[in-house]
Amino acid sequence: MIISGIVIVTHPDKLEDVGARIDKIPWVDVHFSDAAGRMVVVIEADDVEESMDRLNQLKALPHVIMAELSEYYTEDDESTPEWPDGQKPIRIADRRS
């Protein structure tokens, strides 16, 4: 399973509309929004392909100016992609320590 934090930006006067559309999507949870039109959501997916597909679905919603991956977490299983020489990407949280 992959859990991803996504930052979404919309025009402030479209925030309610975008939020209502996102609330209807079962694999998205809204964790933050503000009057400037910014939202932070979390999506769950079974693998990388599904995660990217879901991100692209968010990007395609009406009035979404930007939707980008902020952070992610993966469980170690067969769906986790192999990285060259056994390396793994550095998560933002890892750089703060």
Side-chain angles (χ1 to χ4, degrees), residues 5-18:
I6 309 294
V7 176
I8 297 175
V9 177
T10 186
H11 196 275
D13 64 355
K14 298 296 183 184
L15 182 65
E16 191 173 318
D17 179 52
V18 172

Side-chain angles (χ1 to χ4, degrees), residues 22-61:
I22 289 173
D23 283 342
K24 294 177 184 177
I25 303 171
W27 40 262
V28 180
D29 289 315
V30 178
H31 288 271
F32 171 83
S33 65
D34 67 12
R38 298 174 293 202
M39 302 175 82
V40 175
V41 303
V42 172
I43 64 174
E44 293 184 16
D46 290 329
D47 55 38
V48 173
E49 184 177 335
E50 183 178 55
S51 181
M52 294 308 298
D53 181 58
R54 290 179 173 184
L55 174 58
N56 288 330
Q57 289 179 51
L58 293 173
K59 288 180 177 188
L61 289 174

